[in-house]
Amino acid sequence: VTIGAWTVLGAGSALPKSGFGPSGHIFEHDAVEGVTLFDCGPGTIRALDDHGVSLAQLRRVVLTHFHVDHCLDLAALAFARRNPAAAAAALEIYAPAGIQRVLEGLEHAFGRGATFDSTTLTVLEPGRGNAGIDLGGVGLKWAANGHTSDSISIALELPGAVRVGYTGDTGPHPDLEDLMRGAELLVCECSFHDAAAVTGHLTPESAGQLAERAGVRRLLLTHFYPMLDAREARALAALAFSGTLETARDGSRHRLQDS
Ligand SMILES: [Zn+2]
Ligand SMILES: [Zn+2]
């Protein structure tokens, strides 16, 4: 019985690549009311309708950091929500500390049309991630990962002790193993080929190492730069990871089942 799904709206990065747009993901689960959006890069709002998600169904947005490829569509979302035809529902935004700066910046640049109404904002403070918070029926935990000064990686704790992790952007970081421990599904960035690794990002092999050490069951590779072929990434990750490997592309849907 399918009880939930992680759908990739954007499996790419900051650089143009057909089929791999900037980061955005939707999470739907029987235990959670409405749709949750993880990151909100350019193209995310347009892609919601590809998966039948309306602004009335979108209940919360969780952001990992404030690089443009992960958050620029916040402006598009705020603007769309203000359209009377949107029939937008009350929205919860969960984000690291820089969110106030970003929201003020959007208003400064685009005016009141790019501000959120009917929205509650929860700042995910770096020291509070282990205790976590309740996200409408499931637990949300997070850990600072050093990709930027305030970036975080995220884990969802679903009923039945099922964990789903989302790294956002990160390099290897010691706190991620605990955060992702025993995850059923780890949605993990792997930006660059192992032969062309960049500080602050994972590679297929380091993504595989994280998943293997954390005892993850399914590893979903995403956030591909154009230079990294997804099939090659899968083969490289398999050198380090013994579980089930999946690769994202725009629109790919990854089901979660009851154990
Ligand atoms: Zn990114
Ligand atoms: Zn980034």
Side-chain angles (χ1 to χ4, degrees), residues 114-141:
T115 61
F116 284 92
D117 63 0
S118 307
T119 301
T120 56
L121 174 62
T122 303
V123 175
L124 305 177
E125 305 285 356
R128 308 273 299 276
N130 212 16
I133 56 173
D134 180 69
L135 192 83
V138 304
L140 176 72
K141 293 189 170 185

Side-chain angles (χ1 to χ4, degrees), residues 12-14 23 65 67 69-70 147 168-169 189 191 201 223 225:
S13 63
S23 296
H65 67 300
H67 281 157
D69 61 319
H70 294 254
H147 173 72
D169 285 2
E189 80 120 288
S191 296
H201 285 289
H223 200 267
Y225 270 80

Side-chain angles (χ1 to χ4, degrees), residues 5-10 22-29 32 34-41 44 48 58 60-65 69-71 92 94 124 135 138-142 152-158 164-168 187 256:
W6 185 280
T7 303
V8 181
L9 304 181
S23 296
H25 306 259
I26 48 178
F27 176 74
E28 297 161 283
H29 193 279
V32 190
V35 175
T36 307
L37 176 64
F38 285 87
D39 283 339
C40 193
T44 299
L48 288 176
L58 182 62
R60 56 197 77 76
V61 179
V62 184
L63 300 172
T64 60
H65 67 300
D69 61 319
H70 294 254
C71 71
E92 302 158 14
Y94 301 85
L124 305 177
L135 192 83
V138 304
L140 176 72
K141 293 189 170 185
W142 63 94
I152 55 172
S153 297
I154 281 164
L156 287 169
E157 293 191 317
L158 306 169
V164 173
Y166 172 51
T167 62
V187 183
L256 293 161

